[in-house]
Amino acid sequence: MVGTPGADTLLGTSGPDVIVGLGGEDSLGGRGGDDIICGGGFPDTLVGGRGDDQLFGEASVDGLFGGAGADVLVGGGKPDFLSGDRGDDALRGGKGRDEISMDRGDDFLGGGASRRDVIETFMGKFVSLTVNLAAGTATGLGHDRVFGVENLEFPVHRGPLLLVGSEIHNRIVARGNPLVIRGRGGNDQIFGGKFADEIRGGSGDDSVRGFRGNDDLDGGIGTDRLDGGPGTDTCNRGELVISCP
């Protein structure tokens, strides 16, 4: 099933399909069966549906959604959004700065060539999540393996959250209750939430902001900037300290 140079809506059958978008901003859905779906040269939306599907972003900004089943999602040449949904999925970023969603199932979450990819979740439920980039693991919605991802963003999470960076530069943005962040190596940028956060920069020249709440900030080794934000905060081992007693 092949699209046209224009914008198409292509829906597969209850069996296995091969769907190719070509030009235009396409909406491509596999429905049932084990499908192969490829985007085109414009921003496309790819939805696998039921079955063990393979979705491939191409030359533009694409949204890839696996659905139920054990799916394989691969980003393309521009920043893509990848979400496996339910099932044990394999997600791999491409050349752009990809957003890789942490969903239910035992997944493989791999970054691509940009070295700017981010793992995130928009689940606001009170689930305890742990993501450790140094160890290459993520738990709470399953037992995930993580590889080649540099950044973490959990902007709406409301449950307990433990985030650990790696030995390279990380950008970590999160809110959780409670929230614990360990930057480890590299020159990290870390932003806490509105509760009482515990944040450790680790080695490297880090920038740490607690935001609201009574935060416990420690820059670690290096030349660090600590900003407690509103609240009664504790700041240790910071060379530039803002909004701390």
Side-chain angles (χ1 to χ4, degrees):
M1 188 180 299
V2 181
T4 69
D8 301 305
T9 297
L10 304 179
L11 298 178
T13 67
S14 59
D17 302 297
V18 177
I19 304 174
V20 181
L22 289 185
E25 298 184 14
D26 302 315
S27 178
L28 312 175
R31 302 179 72 177
D34 301 340
D35 306 308
I36 299 176
I37 306 177
C38 303
F42 288 79
D44 301 314
T45 300
L46 288 65
V47 181
R50 299 184 303 276
D52 302 338
D53 306 307
Q54 300 178 51
L55 280 60
F56 300 92
E58 294 295 337
S60 192
V61 180
D62 301 311
L64 285 66
F65 304 86
D71 305 309
V72 176
L73 282 63
V74 181
K78 294 290 180 67
D80 299 311
F81 177 80
L82 289 72
S83 173
D85 204 350
R86 300 185 305 276
D88 301 338
D89 307 307
L91 284 64
R92 183 64 186 266
K95 295 181 179 180
R97 181 188 181 274
D98 301 306
E99 300 178 28
I100 301 171
S101 179
M102 183 178 172
D103 297 305
R104 295 195 180 279
D106 299 336
D107 303 318
F108 173 87
L109 309 176
S114 73
R115 297 187 65 84
R116 295 182 294 118
D117 300 311
V118 55
I119 287 178
E120 61 191 15
T121 183
F122 295 98
M123 296 185 66
K125 297 180 180 179
F126 289 92
V127 179
S128 178
L129 301 181
T130 298
V131 181
N132 190 323
L133 296 182
T137 59
T139 59
L141 298 174
H143 293 84
D144 303 326
R145 292 176 294 160
V146 179
F147 175 80
V149 176
E150 299 77 26
N151 306 311
L152 301 172
E153 293 185 5
F154 292 79
V156 298
H157 188 68
R158 293 181 291 173
L161 196 56
L162 170 59
L163 304 177
V164 181
S166 62
E167 300 308 317
I168 62 175
H169 309 325
N170 304 125
R171 185 176 189 271
I172 301 176
V173 180
R175 59 175 293 185
N177 187 19
L179 171 63
V180 178
I181 300 177
R182 303 279 188 265
R184 293 184 65 95
N187 302 331
D188 303 314
Q189 297 180 4
I190 304 176
F191 303 87
K194 65 179 183 180
F195 300 104
D197 306 322
E198 179 185 318
I199 304 177
R200 303 289 182 263
S203 59
D205 301 335
D206 305 311
S207 177
V208 178
R209 178 172 173 79
F211 201 52
R212 295 195 296 270
N214 301 329
D215 305 310
D216 181 0
L217 312 181
D218 189 315
I221 301 172
T223 304
D224 304 306
R225 181 184 188 275
L226 307 180
D227 184 351
T232 304
D233 307 304
T234 300
C235 298
N236 294 304
R237 292 194 291 179
E239 282 61 46
L240 175 61
V241 176
I242 302 173
S243 299
C244 278

